[in-house]
Amino acid sequence: MKKILFVSSEVHPLIKTGGLADVCGSLPKAIAELSQDIKLILPRYQALKITEEIRFLCTVRVDNRNVNILETRLPDSQVTVLLVDYPSYFNFPGNPYVDELGEPWPNNAERFGLFCRIAVEVAMDRAHLDWQPDIVHCNDWQTGLVPALLSLEYEPPKTVFTIHNMAYQGLFPKTAVYDLNIPGRLWHIAGLEFFDMLSFIKGGLVYADFITTVSPSYALEIQTAEFGYGLEGLLAARNASLGGIINGIDNEHWNPETDPYIAQTFTSKNLTKKRLNKTQVQEYFALPVNEKILLFSLIGRLVEQKGIDLLVECLPEMMTMNLQFVLLGSGDKAYEKQLQALAKQYPEQIAIKLGYDEALAHVIEAGSDVFLMPSKFEPCGLNQMYSQRYGTIPIVRKTGGLADTVTDTLPETLALGTASGLVFTEASAGALLEAIKRALILYSVPSTWKKMQVNAMSKDFSWQRSAEQYLALYDNL
Ligand code: ADP
Ligand code: GLC
């Protein structure tokens, strides 16, 4: 049995801004199910949704600060969650990274720097929890200083750093090096320095014993200038210690057979029941209730990564077709405005809900016919997997995890019984529109559409295989 400390800045269902939380809430459970001793560590934000008991464990002193470590449990699991309690950094309402206006909290370097320091104290068993991990598994830039600081320790645990998104790197002005008391031995070009800035992500990329990312395709893409953001050289140099392990999904939470949020549960054997969920979506969004109109949807952060500009460009032409489109998301104000204007212009066909709404996300996944993910890049992406599980056909761009989890519908793949979505390559509105037209044609042949739905629903996106790959990696280290 291995002892694993799993470090993350968000964990579903305690706190979530995106897929990172889904993964960090479900992967540790899958690892625990493989009989491993895994503990999560997370900052104690005010917005945490804690349902289990909280217990005080100890106070640790770092950088002249007294920090409490509390303990709770991940709901529906035996996984322990350690909470780093430092109220003047974390006891604020709202989002872990940004304020109400969407601006990064001004002291993010200090906040996540302290979080990393505490993770290191726990990893070295200096918090006196009488538990020393064999492996410290870190996720994204917020945890990047952990492998770096551990590299300076005597006989530290082995470290894994998982990249969920190279676009977010935790870059801070050089002054942060002094403010955070970063040891001089880490501050150089082959260390934490990136063009005279302090780079948290480099802490993971340079010092972790092994780097993973969340799909095999993205593991290759980030070694190129287009997706590497200037770190492609470093990643290519570490190629022997870099691999892609595809994310799984929480099959219990995203299960059309038992989903408590949806109007009508269903399986691939009684797909006609899915219709009621389509009605639920059309009614919710006050669109004409009509089973025959193809219902498209998108759920996600409205940022450049997600290809929202392609969608906005396509929507007017889409409106000449017999389809409806609903969107749930929030993000860049410019996209929000453009989408709102389009919804106003085409009230019979477009409806949008700005904001974050977990229950509605389930309703949309269950009720739509087609789910759009025209992402510019996508390290893994989860919604295309949720969609397939709910018999909702994804249209995705061939990038990252989207390329690895959706099989394009072609005569060959239909014959093989693998066709589960529509895949387009070029990042252009024209290419997206072609895929949308293909969907309309396929939908007009109900037997083909049903085949695609059944193929999609029978795919195995469970965590088991990926959790075993992580375990094999821990063993190798
Ligand atoms: P990313 O992590 O890049 O945002 P993913 O596809 O990996 O993309 O994961 C996004 C997760 O966040 C999914 O679980 C999705 O359902 C959820 N999500 C995104 N935006 C919203 C929203 N506005 N309301 C509810 N859930 C959302
Ligand atoms: C990131 C990526 C997304 C991935 C998620 C979980 O937020 O943008 O593609 O699915 O992390 O790994």
Side-chain angles (χ1 to χ4, degrees):
M1 193 201 280
K2 291 226 147 33
K3 294 200 194 75
I4 303 139
L5 179 66
F6 198 90
V7 192
S8 170
S9 60
E10 45 181 290
V11 173
H12 180 78
L14 307 181
I15 184 113
K16 165 165 165 177
T17 74
L20 174 65
D22 291 16
V23 171
C24 296
S26 50
L27 172 59
K29 275 203 260 178
I31 291 174
E33 276 158 26
L34 298 175
S35 310
Q36 307 301 309
D37 178 8
I38 183 163
K39 289 188 204 287
L40 276 159
I41 187 163
L42 173 79
R44 189 193 191 191
Y45 311 105
Q46 194 181 88
L48 287 186
K49 286 199 204 92
I50 304 265
T51 51
E52 311 289 319
E53 197 187 326
I54 303 194
R55 204 159 70 90
F56 169 84
L57 286 185
C58 60
T59 302
V60 182
R61 193 164 173 83
V62 291
D63 286 342
N64 290 323
R65 293 185 165 84
N66 288 328
V67 182
N68 294 330
I69 301 184
L70 316 177
E71 182 186 74
T72 182
R73 209 157 43 91
L74 191 64
D76 301 322
S77 81
Q78 291 307 319
V79 179
T80 300
V81 182
L82 303 175
L83 300 173
V84 176
D85 183 30
Y86 193 68
S88 61
Y89 281 0
F90 299 118
N91 195 19
F92 293 93
N95 186 290
Y97 318 121
V98 295
D99 63 18
E100 317 80 68
L101 301 171
E103 292 300 318
W105 294 112
N107 59 346
N108 269 345
E110 286 85 352
R111 296 170 72 232
F112 291 105
L114 182 74
F115 175 52
C116 289
R117 293 256 182 211
I118 298 297
V120 167
E121 292 308 291
V122 173
M124 295 308 296
D125 201 18
R126 285 193 297 255
H128 307 294
L129 305 181
D130 200 17
W131 184 85
Q132 172 143 40
D134 307 300
I135 301 284
V136 179
H137 188 155
C138 300
N139 295 276
D140 271 355
W141 73 261
Q142 296 84 354
T143 66
L145 295 186
V146 176
L149 293 168
L150 280 176
S151 76
L152 304 178
E153 298 282 349
Y154 177 68
E155 295 192 346
K158 294 291 177 192
T159 51
V160 175
F161 184 77
T162 297
I163 305 165
H164 295 262
N165 199 330
M166 281 294 295
Y168 304 100
Q169 305 188 349
L171 284 178
F172 299 97
K174 193 176 174 174
T175 45
V177 175
Y178 309 103
D179 298 342
L180 300 189
N181 257 320
I182 301 284
R185 281 153 70 196
L186 300 174
W187 178 247
H188 51 92
I189 284 298
L192 298 178
E193 184 178 350
F194 186 66
F195 294 101
D196 217 27
M197 309 261 295
L198 169 66
S199 164
F200 271 52
I201 202 173
K202 275 191 82 187
L205 304 187
V206 173
Y207 296 98
D209 293 303
F210 202 91
I211 306 162
T212 69
T213 185
V214 287
S215 69
S217 288
Y218 195 59
L220 298 175
E221 288 170 351
I222 55 178
Q223 297 178 52
T224 67
E226 192 184 350
F227 300 97
Y229 300 96
L231 291 166
E232 58 276 9
L234 167 61
L235 288 162
R238 292 220 57 194
N239 177 285
S241 307
L242 164 66
I245 300 180
I246 195 84
N247 285 334
I249 64 174
D250 185 329
N251 268 336
E252 272 161 46
H253 190 61
W254 293 95
N255 184 354
E257 265 184 72
T258 56
D259 195 325
Y261 297 116
I262 65 180
Q264 173 66 60
T265 55
F266 61 100
T267 70
S268 60
K269 296 200 180 64
N270 56 22
L271 262 170
T272 45
K273 287 192 175 173
K274 184 170 156 70
R275 276 185 204 157
L276 267 173
N277 299 309
K278 180 163 172 175
T279 306
Q280 189 186 8
V281 176
Q282 288 170 326
E283 278 175 351
Y284 178 90
F285 282 100
L287 290 171
V289 174
N290 183 337
E291 155 61 21
K292 299 225 156 51
I293 300 178
L294 200 58
L295 177 61
F296 286 69
S297 63
L298 187 152
I299 302 168
R301 297 180 295 118
L302 303 178
V303 295
E304 206 199 329
Q305 170 187 351
K306 303 291 174 184
I308 305 299
D309 52 339
L310 301 189
L311 171 74
V312 167
E313 207 181 323
C314 276
L315 276 169
E317 188 157 348
M318 282 168 74
M319 294 305 104
T320 64
M321 304 168 193
N322 189 26
L323 59 81
Q324 295 171 335
F325 172 70
V326 300
L327 177 141
L328 166 63
S330 64
D332 292 357
K333 298 292 166 241
Y335 290 140
E336 291 186 351
K337 282 210 184 95
Q338 287 170 323
L339 288 161
Q340 268 173 324
L342 283 160
K344 209 165 165 199
Q345 197 179 346
Y346 302 99
E348 299 275 293
Q349 281 178 285
I350 304 182
I352 64 168
K353 165 107 194 260
L354 296 180
Y356 183 90
D357 187 334
E358 175 117 17
L360 184 58
H362 285 249
V363 171
I364 294 175
E365 284 289 5
S368 320
D369 297 303
V370 180
F371 193 92
L372 295 178
M373 283 184 89
S375 306
K376 300 256 162 65
F377 67 93
E378 197 63 75
C380 180
L382 299 171
N383 277 310
Q384 81 282 9
M385 294 193 266
Y386 301 150
S387 302
Q388 290 176 84
R389 192 107 207 283
Y390 283 73
T392 298
I393 301 302
I395 293 187
V396 303
R397 197 172 91 72
K398 190 173 182 176
T399 183
L402 300 177
D404 295 343
T405 55
V406 179
T407 308
D408 194 18
T409 301
L410 302 164
E412 308 86 270
T413 54
L414 274 172
L416 284 170
T418 53
S420 68
L422 290 141
V423 182
F424 67 99
T425 305
E426 197 185 277
S428 71
L432 171 58
L433 214 50
E434 279 307 309
I436 290 168
K437 286 181 191 156
R438 280 211 285 147
L440 283 157
I441 294 168
L442 289 163
Y443 188 67
S444 69
V445 189
S447 58
T448 304
W449 193 259
K450 190 170 170 202
K451 254 190 220 155
M452 293 160 66
Q453 287 180 300
V454 173
N455 293 344
M457 292 178 84
S458 11
K459 283 195 164 191
D460 178 10
F461 294 120
S462 67
W463 265 110
Q464 168 113 25
R465 202 168 344 131
S466 303
E468 278 165 7
Q469 282 177 267
Y470 280 109
L471 202 57
L473 167 63
Y474 300 159
D475 276 333
N476 279 340
L477 291 175

